Amino acid sequence: MTVAEKTKAILKEIGDTKLVCVTKTVDPERINQSIRAGATIIGENRVQEFEDKCAEILPCERHLIGHLQSNKVKRAVRLFDVIQSVDSLKLIQDINTKAEAIGKVQEVFLQVNIGEEPQKYGFYLDEIGSVVSEIPSFKNIKVKGLMCIPPFVPPEEARSYFRKMKTLFDEIKKEKRDNIDIQELSMGMSGDYRIAIEEGSTMVRIGSAIFGNRKY
Ligand SMILES: *Cc1c(COP(=O)(O)O)cnc(C)c1O
């Protein structure tokens, strides 16, 4: 199947769930094939890579899904509609400062380290409450969702992590403030998106199932 056919098939399969078409290492021409086929959101992992190719990419919503280093925050705030990979209070402060400087309210998701894996980025479950309580003081941030990358386990074993995320999502959703309006639960990738959707994902992030295996 072509990129366009795969995009259409996935969009049809996932129905109301949103698709983030993950485009790291993919060239603009193939990204545009997916956008023409109906993809409306793309996800990139690296600021530099996206900067190099963004001028050639058709209009779409742009999400950052990879870890953001503090020296790239300014560029990320200019480039991305949503930063899904917010994983520290320091990063929240930095994003707020850079967004304020250009008069933008930056939409972000909080990344949760749901498997509590030390080598992975993201807030631990027991930190989320206190982070959320700090958000109202950052006027140029708007928290719109939660994101997770569960441990690398067979899809069926990821289910319990997705379920924990859904519980957290339902809890945090009640915290409606000026700049906290949690609507999206971003979880599920090529190998496990069906299970993520069964467990309540509202947004899946799919790369290789559309573009094939990545060549680095
Ligand atoms: C690469 C990546 C994906 C997509 O992975 P696939 O297995 O290719 O679908 C999703 N989320 C994040 C954060 C990624 O880095």
Side-chain angles (χ1 to χ4, degrees), residues 132-136 142 174-181:
V132 166
S133 70
E134 302 262 4
I135 298 293
K142 185 150 192 165
K174 296 179 206 150
E175 303 263 345
K176 281 234 185 337
R177 318 255 182 90
D178 279 355
N179 59 351
I180 305 173
D181 181 15

Side-chain angles (χ1 to χ4, degrees), residues 76-124:
V77 165
R78 287 185 182 277
L79 286 167
F80 292 100
D81 299 298
V82 179
I83 299 174
Q84 292 202 12
S85 44
V86 169
D87 55 14
S88 71
L89 205 51
K90 163 86 165 50
L91 187 55
I92 290 172
Q93 285 166 346
D94 287 351
I95 293 171
N96 187 68
T97 304
K98 301 299 185 204
E100 189 178 9
I102 61 166
K104 179 179 184 183
V105 174
Q106 179 67 56
E107 292 191 0
V108 304
F109 295 178
L110 303 177
Q111 181 172 348
V112 182
N113 186 350
I114 194 65
E116 315 219 315
E117 299 170 279
Q119 78 280 15
K120 273 203 183 144
Y121 294 110
F123 295 106
Y124 282 55

